[in-house]
Amino acid sequence: MIFVIFTILTIIGCNKKDVWKESSLFESGGYTMIGEKEKLGFIYDDSEVVKFYPDKIQKYMWHFWGTKEELERPLKVLATHEDGGDPIVLIGGKNSVEPHNGADMSMPSNMSLPESGMWKMDAYFDDNLFGTVYVKVHEKK
């Protein structure tokens, strides 16, 4: 019985670690993006210029693929640290559906995350989860 419980806890722990991996990079419209190809992402190539560091405000261009009906609803992006805590609102409010860089909609944003580690960014249109991007915030130099 103890072996079964230990095995279940190990599997659950391993699965969480597998989920909290930085999202894949992909190409669209001549740009490298991080996220889920043909779903959502933002321009990011893991270069020193665009890497996340604690409390460093950076400009990122989000891109979304979907129907006009999905994408014209209000957008909200919430970020949660891998250690838990209350989510941070990164983006919130109205948006315009303008195709750009191969996506059906794009939106500029200024984002900053307060501490190093892995972060999950959940994008919602009108309170419906649309997709998730995982990023790493690096230690300050």
Side-chain angles (χ1 to χ4, degrees), residues 10-72:
T10 301
I11 291 170
I12 291 169
C14 289
N15 287 343
K16 183 178 179 191
K17 287 180 183 176
D18 289 344
V19 172
W20 286 86
K21 287 183 182 176
E22 196 163 36
S23 293
S24 300
L25 299 179
F26 64 93
E27 298 289 324
S28 183
Y31 291 94
T32 301
M33 300 187 193
I34 188 169
E36 187 179 338
K37 188 174 184 171
E38 297 182 4
K39 182 73 172 174
L40 81 160
F42 54 89
I43 296 175
Y44 183 90
D45 61 7
D46 201 34
S47 67
E48 199 59 39
V49 174
V50 296
K51 279 185 178 178
F52 285 92
Y53 288 97
D55 295 322
K56 178 183 176 190
I57 298 172
Q58 286 279 99
K59 186 172 187 173
Y60 298 94
M61 178 69 82
W62 281 84
H63 295 76
F64 300 91
W65 289 259
T67 66
K68 183 174 180 171
E69 291 75 30
E70 282 178 304
L71 303 177
E72 68 185 2

Side-chain angles (χ1 to χ4, degrees), residues 32 37 40 47 50 53 57 60 72 75 80 87 91-92 98 108 115 118 120 133 135-136 140:
T32 301
K37 188 174 184 171
L40 81 160
S47 67
V50 296
Y53 288 97
I57 298 172
Y60 298 94
E72 68 185 2
L75 170 67
T80 307
I91 300 172
E98 296 291 329
E115 64 181 286
M118 291 299 300
K120 176 177 74 160
V133 178
V135 298
K136 180 180 181 179
K140 286 186 179 181

Side-chain angles (χ1 to χ4, degrees), residues 5 14 35 37 42 62 78 87 100 110 113 118 126 137:
I5 293 171
C14 289
K37 188 174 184 171
F42 54 89
W62 281 84
L78 300 178
H100 196 55
N110 289 316
L113 295 166
M118 291 299 300
D126 206 19
V137 176

Side-chain angles (χ1 to χ4, degrees), residues 94-140:
K94 291 190 173 192
N95 46 289
S96 61
V97 180
E98 296 291 329
H100 196 55
N101 297 326
D104 298 314
M105 178 193 140
S106 64
M107 181 177 197
S109 67
N110 289 316
M111 296 190 296
S112 174
L113 295 166
E115 64 181 286
S116 61
M118 291 299 300
W119 286 81
K120 176 177 74 160
M121 298 178 177
D122 291 322
Y124 295 86
F125 283 99
D126 206 19
D127 295 325
N128 295 312
L129 181 62
F130 185 79
T132 300
V133 178
Y134 291 88
V135 298
K136 180 180 181 179
V137 176
H138 300 269
E139 296 285 337
K140 286 186 179 181

